[in-house]
Amino acid sequence: MFDFGIVTRWFDQLLRQTCGLGNFWSIFIECVIVLLLIITLYALLAIVLIFMERKVCAYFQCRLGPMRVGPWGVFQVFADVIKMLIKEIFPMDKSDKLLFYLAPFLVIVASIGTFSFLPWNKGAEVLDFNVGVFMITALSSIGIIGVFMAGWGSNNKYSVLSALRGAVQMISYEMSLGLCLVAVVVLTGTMQVSGIIDYQAHGWLIFRAPLPAIVALLIFLVAGNAEANRGPFDLVEAESELTAGYHTEYSGMGFGFYYLSEYLNLFVISGIAATVFLGGWMPLHIGVAGFDQVMDYIPGFVWMLGKTFVLVFFLMWIRWTFPRLRIDNILKLEWKYLMPLSLLNLVVMTVCVVFKLGWHI
């Protein structure tokens, strides 16, 4: 499998030796290029996900979805982006303007920050700290602050109620998300994302410890769906009750940031699940030399995108299948079922590791 580390090391040497740049300017140029690549990929994936959501929704409702702008409606998303860019941003007279204008940036920073931890290929990890799992959970929590600030700063009763719902729901489901990731750390012995993937070189996590890993994966997807405020956990943005929830008063790109972060958070949740439970960019290896060799010919980023989009489709399937839950049922599901099950699963995972139960633990 091709190692993108060869390309990055070559480019670093090109800046330092051929161009004669010092350490500071070499790192500065590399960081700027990586940032531009992340933002570009972020925007492109948002366009793909929005179009995919509309078509998947239409499929489940036995209709066609957008079809008029471009062939099969592929340019409809671009038309919506242009419309959003030229929309006027209306200031609210009695709002807390600092909180109101700062909130969308916190949400988008949290989304891009967690997005940057996704490993795309061998040697193509943007952020790969030795405490990567801890950093992912810490950055994702910033988005909760952005949601609460948006509702509180709008000085709108619907937005405030939505912010309170969002804070309670998202903080609650952070517990199950964190416990699922702790179970993975217990099994792999590392919090570094690349180390978790390397551990799965001879078998994805769901094959190496099937029972606790599959349970953790399912809990992670349910909790991640709630963390991203997507149906059936979209009570924060319930149109029938709260008009649009915490971003009711936003227009233009203020609303656009929330719109982008919602879809990219869906991708991030699926990407993290694909990374820690399904091997990330690691091919499917079953121990048969010929089969494993053929799988190695498929590029790593294809594996990563393929696994992630399969999980994205699964979460979209859930959204357009189940009705919206009441807030008491949402919290009951977390504190009475998912949380205890996550703790029990963590104990089972620890027992599997201590007594070396499972396949090649």
Side-chain angles (χ1 to χ4, degrees), residues 60-75:
F60 280 106
Q61 296 176 353
C62 298
R63 55 188 180 84
L64 297 177
M67 293 292 290
R68 295 187 179 183
V69 185
W72 302 288
V74 293
F75 296 134

Side-chain angles (χ1 to χ4, degrees), residues 49 111 114-115 118 136-137 140 170 173-174 176-178 181 216-230 261-278 304 307-309 311-312 314-315:
L49 288 168
S111 180
T114 51
F115 179 75
L118 295 180
I136 289 172
T137 55
S140 64
M170 296 168 75
Y173 279 89
E174 280 278 353
S176 293
L177 283 174
L181 293 177
L217 172 60
L218 294 177
I219 295 174
F220 187 89
L221 291 177
V222 173
N225 217 16
E227 182 76 9
N229 295 324
R230 292 180 55 83
S261 64
E262 177 184 341
Y263 282 98
L264 263 297
N265 286 341
L266 169 66
F267 185 87
V268 169
I269 289 295
S270 302
I272 294 173
T275 298
V276 300
F277 296 106
L278 303 178
M304 181 63 186
K307 297 172 186 177
T308 303
F309 273 105
L311 295 179
V312 166
F314 177 71
L315 294 180

